[in-house]
């Protein structure tokens, strides 16, 4: 679903623009190199909003608040983060091309 030219702004990049999948792959690969307890968490999408854009409706914007729940040191925590994702039609498929997390 992710395009190779994906761009994003997010806390992991200190809100700097990042382009490409290598930046994100680093975080996914961390789990295979880390020997630690498994963290159980729950992620919920709250207040989603969807809008088609473009003269031919070939792109879409999805915005929502991500609600993360986790158990850290035996204590439950909840964090929220507004997110916006942009999808574009390429070769007849919707692909994820940009996101922003605040």
């Amino acid at each position: 679903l992710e395009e190779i030219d994906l761009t994003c702004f997010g806390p992991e990049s200190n809100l700097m623009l990042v382009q490409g999948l290598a930046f994100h792959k680093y975080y996914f690969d961390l789990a295979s190199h880390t020997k630690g307890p498994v963290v159980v968490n729950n992620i919920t999408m709250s207040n989603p909003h969807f809008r088609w854009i473009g003269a031919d409706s070939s792109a879409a914007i999805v915005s929502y608040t991500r609600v993360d729940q986790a158990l850290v040191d035996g204590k439950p925590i909840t964090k929220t983060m507004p997110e916006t994702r942009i999808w574009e039609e390429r070769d007849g498929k919707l692909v994820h091309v940009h996101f922003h997390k605040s």
Side-chain angles (χ1 to χ4, degrees), residues 65-81:
T65 299
R66 176 181 165 151
V67 182
D68 291 358
Q69 299 166 283
L71 197 59
V72 177
D73 296 328
K75 296 178 183 175
I77 63 163
T78 301
K79 296 186 298 183
T80 59
M81 182 176 307

Side-chain angles (χ1 to χ4, degrees), residues 8-92:
C8 79
F9 294 97
E12 299 88 354
S13 67
N14 289 328
L15 299 179
M16 299 301 296
L17 177 65
V18 175
Q19 184 170 5
L21 296 178
F23 178 84
H24 308 287
K25 185 177 182 315
Y26 170 81
Y27 290 99
F28 288 108
D29 289 347
L30 277 178
S32 64
H33 301 293
T34 306
K35 295 179 184 166
V38 175
V39 176
V40 178
N41 61 355
N42 184 55
I43 299 171
T44 303
M45 181 187 289
S46 177
N47 299 318
H49 178 75
F50 179 89
R51 170 177 272 172
W52 286 104
I53 58 172
D56 57 356
S57 295
S58 60
I61 298 175
V62 182
S63 58
Y64 54 91
T65 299
R66 176 181 165 151
V67 182
D68 291 358
Q69 299 166 283
L71 197 59
V72 177
D73 296 328
K75 296 178 183 175
I77 63 163
T78 301
K79 296 186 298 183
T80 59
M81 182 176 307
E83 294 189 11
T84 300
R85 297 189 179 257
I86 308 222
W87 295 76
E88 181 178 60
E89 186 177 349
R90 293 186 183 175
D91 299 323

